[in-house]
Amino acid sequence: MCGIVGAISKDKNILPILITGLKNLEYRGYDSAGVAYFENNKICITKVTGKVDNLVQKISDDDSSKIGIAHTRWATHGKATTVNAHPHKVGHITIVHNGIIENFEEIKEKLSQCGYSFKTSTDSEIAAALLNYYYEEYNNIEKAIESFMKEAKGSYAISLLIDNDQNNLYCLKKESPLIIATGNNFNIIASDIRAILKYTNKYYILDDFEYAKVNNSEIIIKNSKGLVLNKELKEYTHENKENSKGHYKHYMLKEIMEQSKTIADTAIPYIDDGIASLLTMPDLTKYNAIDIVGCGTAYHAGLVAKYLFQEITNTKCNVYLASEYRYQNNFLSKDTLTIFISQSGETADTIAALKLVKSNNLPSLGIINVENSSMTFLVDQCLYTKAGSEIAVASTKAYTAQVTMLSLLALSHAYRNKTLKEKEVLEVLKEFKNISNLITPLLDKKNIYQSIAKEIYNEDDIFYIGRGLDYVLSMEGALKLKEISYIHSEAYAAGELKHGTISLVKKNTPVLCSATNDKLNPKTVSNLKEVLARGAKVYLITDDSYNDPAFNIINIPKANIFIKPLLIVIPYQLIAYYTADLKGTDIDKPKNLAKSVTVE
Ligand code: M6R
């Protein structure tokens, strides 16, 4: 993970560019940060633990430089300490690095034998040392970079400074994103063009095994054999809205509250003109099966789709965690469409799974939120969710946008393969058009969610249960709670509890449950009785008319199966939010996490 920026200018102080870039890259990690720049012919390095704001406090208004590099970290090798923070300087070379050098132990061993010693626990310091080793051998940085590329395994986006060279920045890339943007008398290296749009929207994308020499007026990009490449200059033309929290205490709350709109925005192109617009969805009838791949919340959205495809459209559908999909036998077939779901479009495991499918020449479809992100260039076809920019690490509106898109995809398939009649499809479309009226009252039940939060926020363990679609939703509910409140919460299929996990239920253990399936509800209620008998406190989200005083009931409106998941998740999101708020955690940037997981 980690975000990197480098900047060089003919006449301006580049420190504001580095800091703005880093702040915009904090979605890639925020456990420590650092900067290195030339001042009076000397490289100055400042590093801090924590967020970029801590770094800003260490930089005085008098500090100024025309060339520098900076980094915001998500620790992989070595704790989040100042010493492990980047930049790392070894000999003549100072680097910032995003990625993982997989053979760092081997390289370390070799360099140790050559007299190198190391101060940090990071693989990045080893990368700096290897670059320095070859730089000293050839007295030529380009040859050093080419040799580094031959030897280093794993992934890297690196930007580097060399002692005594205030005129050039260098960068190199393999499997971690890197762009070089260009402006009037300045150039910027960054993990992501969106991070530096304040300064320029023109940029080159570096591909794997490419490197560049960047000065204030020129960018020379070469391949790993030293051949100069003529790369296409791109222009980022998508809207880049400034994002503020408005009157909300956290981005997460704002994003939850935006969902009536973001669901509608995602759905509208496919519902506004009835069946005709629905049929602009890709035709899936040519496939025998559907595979869905994603991570975390995106995986959970895939599980909702599996339910709809299999139960409603009678189409075989498997859902895989991207990190598992890559390393198993997937029985790849040209008759299977693989759908990749991602908010960021940058998740390393999902990208790797997508590359696997592509390398086998098999069809792929992306459901992606961030325009122009890496995955959008790789998939055969892309359906953009319209969640807008999601800042909070815990995904909420991106999830409901993904579920909306997948539901409409399944609905179009049900129409095409005739598993639903036209009249039934029209009914669902009508409900989608009415979605705000269903969601808004749920968003407004703040008092209910806050009072549940008060009852559970001091607990150590919380269980989420459900059957069928309700089970899949409970997985998303448990993930939301654990990632922002740090309370251990797990989802279980309601019928599975008694096969082991119920041994953990004791007096006052909170059990959150959704029961919205008329056929399965009686069974789920029996499971709730079982936990009640062991002293649990039960919170039940339901569209049924239960009035058992032993259950704390949160009513949701009755809705079609294609709409239901979008309703069930709202109480789960808000209970998680208010619980974390009572605990006083850093809700938008929870510990140990990052918005975009760009390492495997
Ligand atoms: O950007 P992606 O949708 O590919 O991200 C996938 C997961 O990392 C993400 O959903 C993560 O699980 C969220 N923090 C969950 O709230």
Side-chain angles (χ1 to χ4, degrees):
M1 318 232 285
C2 312
I4 68 174
V5 204
I8 182 161
S9 167
K10 190 172 171 202
D11 43 19
K12 285 197 183 73
N13 176 15
I14 50 79
L15 293 182
I17 300 181
L18 297 182
I19 295 300
T20 306
L22 282 192
K23 284 194 171 177
N24 290 332
L25 287 170
E26 273 191 325
Y27 73 88
R28 305 176 70 87
Y30 41 78
D31 61 38
S32 51
V35 62
Y37 54 88
F38 272 100
E39 198 171 29
N40 303 326
N41 300 326
K42 224 182 104 231
I43 293 182
C44 305
I45 299 181
T46 307
K47 310 204 260 191
V48 295
T49 53
K51 301 200 182 113
V52 175
D53 278 340
N54 298 354
L55 183 66
V56 174
Q57 282 168 23
K58 294 255 176 165
I59 297 174
S60 99
D61 290 346
D62 300 334
D63 291 328
S64 175
S65 176
K66 301 212 175 71
I67 173 169
I69 56 178
H71 189 267
T72 177
R73 181 169 187 246
W74 186 85
T76 58
H77 295 56
K79 289 186 179 153
T81 58
T82 313
V83 76
N84 287 336
H86 300 214
H88 293 292
K89 184 171 189 333
V90 179
H92 309 278
I93 306 291
T94 305
I95 75 163
V96 287
H97 168 223
N98 163 217
I100 294 177
I101 306 297
E102 286 170 359
N103 56 339
F104 79 99
E105 296 277 18
E106 207 177 284
I107 298 172
K108 187 175 180 183
E109 178 66 34
K110 163 182 140 174
L111 295 176
S112 302
Q113 282 171 17
C114 300
Y116 279 81
S117 59
F118 299 96
K119 297 193 279 279
T120 79
S121 331
T122 66
D123 55 330
S124 307
E125 188 188 18
I126 312 294
L130 186 63
L131 283 159
N132 187 66
Y133 170 84
Y134 285 121
Y135 179 67
E136 287 189 345
E137 180 168 331
Y138 298 116
N139 196 20
N140 177 320
I141 188 62
E142 298 197 9
K143 285 216 161 11
I145 290 173
E146 288 163 25
S147 303
F148 175 93
M149 285 178 152
K150 275 192 205 126
E151 189 164 341
K153 296 202 177 99
S155 58
Y156 48 81
I158 291 174
S159 180
L160 67 89
L161 294 172
I162 311 169
D163 284 356
N164 304 321
D165 183 356
Q166 295 194 54
N167 298 320
N168 296 294
L169 274 176
Y170 292 83
C171 59
L172 51 149
K173 180 232 152 53
K174 183 190 164 225
E175 286 173 23
S176 289
L178 198 64
I179 61 102
I180 308 170
T182 181
N184 202 3
N185 289 335
F186 69 87
N187 290 313
I188 307 172
I189 293 163
S191 301
D192 167 359
I193 178 66
R194 288 171 296 270
I196 47 130
L197 281 177
K198 184 173 169 193
Y199 302 99
T200 176
N201 66 345
K202 300 201 171 48
Y203 67 112
Y204 299 96
I205 298 176
L206 235 59
D207 288 310
D208 286 350
F209 295 108
E210 290 179 356
Y211 70 92
K213 175 181 178 180
V214 180
N215 62 33
N216 56 40
S217 59
E218 201 179 24
I219 297 168
I220 300 169
I221 302 176
K222 295 186 175 180
N223 69 11
S224 59
K225 295 196 171 85
L227 224 73
V228 176
L229 303 169
N230 200 0
K231 304 273 295 187
E232 180 196 352
L233 182 65
K234 296 192 179 285
E235 199 171 327
Y236 189 91
T237 51
H238 298 282
E239 202 181 351
N240 189 41
K241 287 195 203 127
E242 278 294 314
N243 223 306
S244 89
K245 277 190 284 209
H247 63 279
Y248 291 101
K249 188 171 174 190
H250 295 100
Y251 278 105
M252 182 177 176
L253 185 58
K254 175 177 177 255
E255 288 161 6
I256 292 172
M257 293 302 172
E258 282 170 356
Q259 288 177 106
S260 309
K261 180 174 181 324
T262 48
I263 292 171
D265 287 350
T266 302
I268 272 168
Y270 308 102
I271 63 172
D272 62 348
D273 193 17
I275 301 284
S277 43
L278 187 67
L279 291 182
T280 60
M281 276 283 177
D283 183 353
L284 309 183
T285 52
K286 55 185 174 227
Y287 304 110
N288 291 338
I290 292 164
D291 282 351
I292 301 181
V293 182
C295 301
T297 284
Y299 168 75
H300 292 163
L303 291 173
V304 171
K306 175 185 165 105
Y307 186 89
L308 297 175
F309 277 118
Q310 296 209 150
E311 303 305 315
I312 311 291
T313 78
N314 202 24
T315 305
K316 192 173 154 207
C317 178
N318 281 312
V319 189
Y320 300 99
L321 290 164
S323 52
E324 292 293 316
Y325 182 87
R326 299 176 57 186
Y327 303 110
Q328 65 190 18
N329 182 359
N330 294 308
F331 302 97
L332 297 173
S333 149
K334 63 176 176 19
D335 299 324
T336 299
L337 173 70
T338 310
I339 301 178
F340 294 87
I341 308 176
S342 178
Q343 188 286 128
S344 63
E346 301 293 348
T347 303
D349 282 314
T350 314
I351 291 181
L354 171 53
K355 285 185 175 164
L356 181 76
V357 164
K358 273 188 81 74
S359 66
N360 284 282
N361 285 322
L362 297 172
S364 60
L365 170 70
I367 295 189
I368 298 164
N369 195 47
V370 176
E371 289 162 344
N372 267 15
S373 54
S374 303
M375 278 180 222
T376 65
F377 298 113
L378 293 169
V379 284
D380 293 340
Q381 200 179 349
C382 180
L383 298 176
Y384 277 116
T385 47
K386 297 288 175 197
S389 74
E390 192 181 62
I391 307 286
V393 164
S395 185
T396 53
K397 62 176 182 167
Y399 170 79
T400 45
Q402 288 159 354
V403 169
T404 300
M405 192 65 91
L406 288 159
S407 295
L408 290 168
L409 189 60
L411 185 67
S412 68
H413 189 50
Y415 178 82
R416 284 192 171 106
N417 79 358
K418 300 192 173 36
T419 42
L420 286 185
K421 298 194 186 83
E422 179 163 342
K423 191 169 152 259
E424 293 168 309
V425 173
L426 287 171
E427 271 305 309
V428 183
L429 291 180
K430 198 166 139 204
E431 258 187 51
F432 259 112
K433 284 189 179 156
N434 188 38
I435 193 82
S436 303
N437 292 330
L438 296 171
I439 294 223
T440 309
L442 289 176
L443 293 170
D444 288 346
K445 293 187 178 188
K446 178 175 168 183
N447 293 345
I448 296 183
Y449 309 130
Q450 278 181 327
S451 70
I452 295 174
K454 261 190 207 139
E455 290 180 25
I456 66 174
Y457 81 103
N458 275 325
E459 298 295 336
D460 294 327
D461 304 291
I462 299 185
F463 297 109
Y464 284 69
I465 62 170
R467 284 173 181 256
L469 202 49
D470 287 305
Y471 169 43
V472 167
L473 267 294
S474 74
M475 293 167 89
E476 178 58 10
L479 177 64
K480 281 306 79 104
L481 186 78
K482 75 176 76 147
E483 67 180 330
I484 59 168
S485 73
Y486 317 144
I487 298 174
H488 170 242
S489 45
E490 293 302 334
Y492 293 94
E496 186 62 18
L497 272 186
K498 58 185 160 300
H499 295 286
T501 309
I502 202 164
S503 65
L504 299 173
V505 173
K506 52 183 196 277
K507 188 161 186 291
N508 288 336
T509 301
V511 175
L512 276 69
C513 173
S514 70
T516 63
N517 179 323
D518 293 347
K519 278 195 203 132
L520 298 176
N521 286 355
K523 308 258 175 224
T524 307
V525 167
S526 301
N527 300 134
L528 289 178
K529 297 277 184 195
E530 290 156 11
V531 295
L532 275 175
R534 279 138 189 103
K537 273 198 288 189
V538 167
Y539 301 89
L540 176 63
I541 299 168
T542 186
D543 56 1
D544 221 328
S545 53
Y546 294 111
N547 56 9
D548 188 330
F551 301 153
N552 299 282
I553 291 180
I554 305 157
N555 286 115
I556 61 167
K558 279 234 178 274
N560 193 282
I561 191 79
F562 288 87
I563 306 276
K564 218 175 258 196
L566 300 169
L567 307 184
I568 302 168
V569 79
I570 303 285
Y572 279 143
Q573 293 172 343
L574 282 163
I575 291 167
Y577 172 78
Y578 287 116
T579 305
D581 194 33
L582 280 178
K583 294 203 82 170
T585 59
D586 190 348
I587 291 185
D588 287 332
K589 290 196 168 98
K591 69 175 158 99
N592 300 343
L593 299 180
K595 181 71 186 156
S596 185
V597 182
T598 55
V599 290
E600 318 175 12

